[in-house]
Amino acid sequence: MSTAAGREIRRAVVTGGAGFVGSHLADRLRDGGAAVVCVDNFLTGCADNVAHLAADPGFELVVADVAEPFDVAGPVDAVFHLASPASPHDYARHPLETLKAGAHGTLHALELAGRKGARFLLASTSEVYGDPKVHPQVESYWGNVNPIGPRSQYDEAKRFAEALTATHREHFGFDTVIVRLFNTYGPRMRPADGRAVPTFITQALAGRPITVAGDGQQTRSLCYVDDTVAGILAAARSAEAGPINIGNPEELTIRKLADRVRELCRSTAPMEFVPRPGDDPDLRRPDIGRAVEVLGWSPVVDLDKGLAATIDWFAARVAASAPDRTSPAADQAPAAGPTLIEP
Ligand code: NAD
Ligand code: UDP
């Protein structure tokens, strides 16, 4: 696997590599022949996500907090910095860890890239646009973020991380690229991470009420994880500095998402309208013109196909955690709904 600048990615560091997106990125890097060092402290990820790579000699797992100085022995061609809580539920539970992952963690990951002469990729977010006043969101838009609101730990940490990355490039000649990821979904999301897709799927499969926030008219644009990872890799292989939006421009209301999940799960679960969280953005849709132009990247997985693959994965976990109805002991077990195991 080589970068447009001609550098081959023979060995990559993925911070947050035991998380949802990071573990898929590690898989694709291994598929392309690159060795992978995953650095993770399991704050919101888990060893299960990379268990299939455990016996792979091209894969190493380093359990470390990137908010503290850390090092990786040996040569490194690319550092992918993904370590950070990412769901609103997670960053509300871990506010200081989120600020530190974006600030100290980004600095330490940049310093590692500097020591190794590696290309550095920052996984930033559409949250830098906040509750956007420009729609769809284009990279030149500076955003509308509440610096002291309930999402501020994440939004401002990522904005600071972008500033830190740009500064290392402009002032110190680092080889960096910033990608702004939009809502991504797929297998390996935690059932209880609080994000809409895993929450709705878990509820629909269990026949529990589907919790739509507000009137559900707020929109999101959902990108299947394989597409997001392809965009991340295209950016890493390019010589671009970014920022580059990586997302799927197909926008839908949250109410519509709940309907699609319910239909695809063949569920009769009712809708329950619950209060909207503070500062929940009304609209979210990427302008991906830059990614198309400079990376030749655009998403290829449509929503129904991606949701179906995700639902299959969640359903298999439900089946694996349900009692074995063929055994006598199971016959006496209480008829509880399917349980999903948190890492
Ligand atoms: P995730 O929570 O599944 O993964 C994050 C990983 O980082 C976890 O494995 C966690 O344990 C690890 N981590 C957190 N803090 C750490 C620390 N201090 N040291 C070491 N490891 C740490 O989240 P995700 O959805 O996979 O998101 C990955 C990255 O992509 C994040 O940086 C997120 O901001 C970005 N992103 C994701 C989305 C999305 O929709 N999934 C959208 C925009 C941006
Ligand atoms: N949402 C919802 N019900 C839930 C979880 C989320 O209606 O159980 C809404 C949430 O309020 C937001 C949208 O779905 O408007 C997307 O939320 P998510 O946490 O997935 O992503 P983000 O808000 O970070 O874009």
Side-chain angles (χ1 to χ4, degrees):
M1 198 176 277
S2 48
T3 64
R7 182 189 301 129
E8 203 185 338
I9 304 183
R10 286 156 303 199
R11 190 158 179 259
V13 169
V14 181
T15 75
F20 159 51
V21 178
S23 62
H24 286 279
L25 174 62
D27 284 345
R28 294 295 81 76
L29 283 162
R30 287 301 298 129
D31 293 346
V36 174
V37 182
C38 155
V39 180
D40 204 297
N41 66 351
F42 301 142
L43 181 66
T44 55
C46 63
D48 262 9
N49 284 340
V50 287
H52 57 288
L53 295 172
D56 177 348
F59 179 79
E60 292 165 71
L61 176 61
V62 175
V63 180
D65 180 350
V66 299
E68 302 296 331
F70 70 98
D71 204 4
V72 168
V76 174
D77 305 299
V79 174
F80 295 84
H81 181 45
L82 277 71
S84 168
S87 93
H89 180 86
D90 284 341
Y91 51 81
R93 280 195 306 153
H94 303 294
L96 286 175
E97 291 89 339
T98 303
L99 283 160
K100 286 181 186 170
H104 303 277
T106 303
L107 182 61
H108 295 144
L110 274 162
E111 287 172 347
L112 175 69
R115 289 195 298 277
K116 303 291 182 183
R119 181 154 165 84
F120 176 86
L121 178 139
L122 174 69
S124 185
T125 170
S126 56
E127 288 288 324
V128 300
Y129 301 121
D131 191 9
K133 303 288 177 215
V134 169
H135 194 70
Q137 290 77 60
V138 66
E139 290 89 345
S140 54
Y141 177 50
W142 293 350
N144 176 39
V145 172
N146 177 353
I148 55 166
R151 301 170 83 101
S152 62
Q153 298 86 9
Y154 183 67
D155 299 11
E156 295 295 13
K158 289 289 185 182
R159 289 167 69 95
F160 180 80
E162 287 202 10
L164 206 54
T165 302
T167 299
H168 278 72
R169 183 180 182 91
E170 296 305 321
H171 292 261
F172 306 111
F174 279 44
D175 178 12
T176 63
V177 59
I178 296 168
V179 288
R180 291 181 179 155
L181 310 182
F182 282 63
N183 295 68
T184 295
Y185 70 99
R188 299 186 196 151
M189 295 186 94
R190 279 167 30 245
D193 84 358
R195 290 185 266 199
V197 169
T199 306
F200 291 171
I201 292 176
T202 306
Q203 292 166 334
L205 290 176
R208 291 200 306 268
I210 298 179
T211 50
V212 174
D215 60 6
Q217 291 311 301
Q218 68 273 30
T219 69
R220 293 294 184 272
S221 303
L222 300 169
C223 194
Y224 190 62
V225 65
D226 289 358
D227 282 333
T228 298
V229 167
I232 290 173
L233 285 170
R237 288 189 202 111
S238 78
E240 296 296 319
I244 306 172
N245 288 339
I246 299 292
N248 189 323
E250 189 186 338
E251 181 182 8
L252 80 168
T253 65
I254 291 302
R255 174 65 204 257
K256 173 87 179 156
L257 172 67
D259 285 337
R260 289 309 298 139
V261 168
R262 189 163 62 169
E263 281 168 40
L264 290 166
C265 290
R266 294 189 193 85
S267 172
T268 54
M271 299 274 172
E272 181 184 349
F273 293 90
V274 298
R276 253 179 102 183
D279 289 352
D280 192 31
D282 284 339
L283 302 170
R284 185 68 55 70
R285 178 169 142 218
D287 179 322
I288 59 165
R290 185 178 289 178
V292 171
E293 187 190 330
V294 302
L295 303 180
W297 173 89
S298 55
V300 296
V301 181
D302 75 35
L303 183 68
D304 276 8
K305 213 171 148 200
L307 281 178
T310 310
I311 290 165
D312 284 350
W313 185 84
F314 275 88
R317 277 176 60 110
V318 171
S321 66
D324 177 3
R325 295 269 155 223
T326 60
S327 79
D331 286 340
Q332 279 142 49
T339 50
L340 291 165
I341 299 161
E342 271 284 84

